[in-house]
């Protein structure tokens, strides 16, 4: 183990855990150096199991032989493990490490939306990833459009993983799924479901791969979520928008279906993360 005792906030190599912004961690000018931060032993373990590459670890001394022990055993021996007094680590990160362990990991290179959909629809008999499906199998993906709240992003990913969604595709104005808080809220689910970024005009792309698009919105033309026609569709792209403004009219107009969740007691809508979970369960098509 390469244990490095932190004596001050000027220690080289620790900036990624505190002073660097999320944008700086993404390092768009030099993608090969881009990292993200995973927090808590459970989340870090999920990330490692999914093949994420650890770069450095930060934890209190007691966790080196405690909660972080199994994680350290799975990391390269030359990887730096930064440790120090609890108060100093809190100053570095901006909060007390109640879960005890942070891990900086190499950000994986995102594939194109077209490549991801092609992989999902793969029908040959060659080697397949866990998320690749035969062409005749039902496919359900979610489109996250303009959702900027990290908590909602994390919660949507957790529901997507738990309820059998095959992929998550995000518009460029949505929050980064590898944001530290989004990763934490998802409990590592961002590593379990394939995801990538969409082009701004994505309708034609989905239609090319045989998907019908489903805009979750309250309009006069909305059909209820339990409409049998929806579950009968072999491939659906479920579009979720922001809680305040909802989906743009242009998105709703281009969608093959506009769908509402039936409400009671005068409630007109749900939090986007809650609505996503309901939609994923109802449209799971026998999964």
């Amino acid at each position: 183990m390469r244990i490095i005792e932190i004596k001050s906030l000027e220690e080289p190599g620790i900036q990624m855990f505190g002073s660097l912004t999320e944008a700086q961690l993404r390092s768009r000018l030099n993608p090969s150096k881009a990292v993200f931060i995973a927090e808590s032993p459970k989340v870090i373990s999920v990330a490692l199991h999914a093949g994420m590459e650890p770069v450095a670890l930060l934890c209190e001394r007691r966790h080196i032989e405690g909660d972080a022990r199994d994680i350290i055993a799975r990391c390269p021996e030359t990887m730096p493990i930064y440790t120090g007094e609890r108060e100093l680590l809190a100053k570095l990160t901006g909060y007390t490490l109640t879960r005890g362990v942070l891990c900086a990991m190499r950000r994986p290179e995102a594939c194109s939306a077209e490549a991801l959909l092609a992989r999902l629809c793969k029908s040959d008999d060659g080697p397949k990833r866990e998320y690749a499906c035969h062409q005749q199998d039902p496919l359900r993906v979610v489109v996250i459009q303009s959702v900027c709240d990290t908590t909602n992003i994390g919660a949507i990913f957790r529901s997507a993983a738990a309820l059998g969604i095959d992929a998550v595709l995000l518009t460029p104005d949505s929050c980064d799924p590898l944001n530290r808080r989004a990763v934490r809220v998802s409990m590592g689910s961002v590593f379990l479901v394939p995801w990538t970024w969409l082009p701004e005009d994505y309708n034609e792309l989905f239609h090319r791969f045989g998907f019908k698009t489903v805009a979750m919105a309250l309009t006069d033309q909305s059909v209820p979520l339990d409409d049998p026609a929806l579950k009968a569709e072999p491939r659906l792209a479920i579009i979720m928008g922001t809680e305040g403004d909802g989906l743009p009219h242009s998105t709703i107009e281009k969608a093959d279906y506009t769908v509402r969740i039936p409400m009671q007691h005068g409630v007109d809508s749900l939090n986007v993360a809650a609505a996503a979970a309901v939609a994923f369960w109802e449209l799971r098509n026998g999964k």
Side-chain angles (χ1 to χ4, degrees):
M1 289 186 292
R2 185 186 165 201
I3 300 175
I4 300 174
E5 185 79 20
I6 301 173
K7 298 297 185 181
S8 78
L9 298 182
E10 304 304 317
E11 178 75 37
I14 64 171
Q15 290 73 25
M16 66 181 77
F17 292 108
S19 60
L20 296 185
T21 65
E22 290 288 342
Q24 290 171 324
L25 289 173
R26 291 180 71 171
S27 189
R28 288 176 175 170
L29 296 179
N30 191 349
S32 65
K33 293 186 177 180
V35 298
F36 65 92
I37 306 297
E39 180 180 351
S40 87
K42 181 175 181 178
V43 172
I44 296 168
S45 292
V46 173
L48 290 173
H49 184 71
M52 298 296 108
E53 178 189 350
V55 174
L57 203 71
L58 178 76
C59 65
E60 295 179 38
R61 291 190 194 91
R62 62 192 177 97
H63 291 307
I64 293 177
E65 292 297 332
D67 290 346
R69 183 176 182 177
D70 291 341
I71 293 170
I72 293 171
R74 297 166 64 184
C75 295
E77 291 185 5
T78 56
M79 187 189 76
I81 301 169
Y82 297 101
T83 188
E85 298 294 337
R86 184 172 188 153
E87 294 75 15
L88 183 60
L89 298 186
K91 287 182 180 178
L92 170 64
T93 61
Y95 57 93
T96 301
L97 297 180
T98 54
R99 295 176 178 84
V101 188
L102 297 180
C103 187
M105 295 183 152
R106 191 72 63 202
R107 174 181 282 270
E109 185 177 351
C111 67
S112 69
E114 182 172 5
L116 176 53
L117 291 176
R119 210 152 55 199
L120 288 174
C121 298
K122 192 172 182 180
S123 59
D124 64 86
D125 294 326
K128 299 178 178 65
R129 296 181 181 240
E130 289 181 358
Y131 51 83
C133 301
H134 288 292
Q135 194 165 352
Q136 66 268 25
D137 289 344
L139 287 172
R140 299 292 185 261
V141 303
V142 60
V143 174
I144 300 178
Q145 180 159 337
S146 307
V147 177
C148 301
D149 184 89
T150 55
T151 299
N152 284 333
I153 292 291
I156 292 172
F157 264 89
R158 191 171 183 181
S159 293
L163 300 175
I165 294 298
D166 297 291
V168 179
L169 300 102
L170 305 96
T171 57
D173 55 350
S174 293
C175 171
D176 175 21
L178 294 182
N179 171 284
R180 184 186 303 192
R181 180 167 177 78
V183 171
R184 183 170 71 246
V185 171
S186 81
M187 292 301 293
S189 295
V190 295
F191 311 118
L192 303 179
V193 184
W195 64 270
T196 194
W197 302 101
L198 278 168
E200 290 188 10
D201 188 4
Y202 53 75
N203 237 52
E204 186 276 333
L205 177 65
F206 283 114
H207 287 159
R208 196 182 339 143
F209 284 96
F211 283 83
K212 294 292 181 69
T213 52
V214 176
M216 299 298 298
L218 292 170
T219 72
D220 293 338
Q221 289 75 41
S222 295
V223 299
L225 183 62
D226 58 358
D227 190 306
L230 293 170
K231 294 194 75 171
E233 292 286 357
R235 296 180 182 176
L236 289 179
I238 307 162
I239 310 171
M240 310 298 303
T242 61
E243 293 174 46
D245 298 330
L247 292 171
H249 289 297
S250 58
T251 298
I252 297 171
E253 290 173 357
K254 292 177 182 178
D256 297 297
Y257 294 96
T258 305
V259 176
R260 68 181 183 277
I261 299 174
M263 304 282 176
Q264 299 184 37
H265 299 294
V267 177
D268 62 358
S269 65
L270 294 173
N271 163 277
V272 64
V278 173
F280 297 165
W281 172 256
E282 182 63 35
L283 299 178
R284 68 194 184 281
N285 200 358
K287 290 191 177 185

